[in-house]
Amino acid sequence: MCSSDLLSGLSGDMATLRQAAASGHGGAGLAIAVFRHRLRQEIGAMAACLGGVEVLALSGGIGEHDGALRQELADELSWLGDYKLRVVAADEEGLIARRCRIAAAGG
């Protein structure tokens, strides 16, 4: 079980959590809130280490498909100043294929 399963008592799938939270499921709302808190925490730490942020790239299932999360982050990270929020399509299968070709070629 992942932490959002434990927090929500329901699922670790963000789409499922969003739907349940919209229907008033308290555990789902808590899991989403904790996820966003941790995400802001990590982004803040990286911004501090880098001395600022020019581009924030979101990828993977949640980053690519959760428009509500992107809007929440844009609202909650306004303190970062001017930065661009970008969605980058994940291509895990393509990356694996490219790495296998390199390995097969002896690289």
Side-chain angles (χ1 to χ4, degrees):
M1 267 193 159
C2 71
S3 61
S4 55
D5 290 345
L6 298 174
L7 285 172
S8 70
L10 182 65
S11 173
D13 177 70
M14 185 61 87
T16 300
L17 293 174
R18 288 274 184 200
Q19 187 174 28
S23 298
H25 190 283
L30 175 63
I32 293 168
V34 169
F35 177 83
R36 281 193 0 244
H37 174 79
R38 295 289 311 271
L39 188 55
R40 288 189 322 264
Q41 196 173 35
E42 296 299 325
I43 291 169
M46 286 185 277
C49 289
L50 295 170
V53 173
E54 293 177 18
V55 176
L56 181 60
L58 301 175
S59 189
I62 297 171
E64 288 181 63
H65 305 293
D66 192 337
L69 176 68
R70 289 192 300 274
Q71 185 58 56
E72 291 160 358
L73 283 176
D75 295 342
E76 295 167 351
L77 296 175
S78 61
W79 60 270
L80 280 173
D82 287 336
Y83 71 95
K84 293 179 172 96
L85 184 63
R86 298 286 187 241
V87 175
V88 178
D91 182 22
E92 292 94 351
E93 293 87 1
L95 177 62
I96 291 167
R98 287 187 298 278
R99 295 281 172 98
C100 287
R101 279 193 296 266
I102 291 168

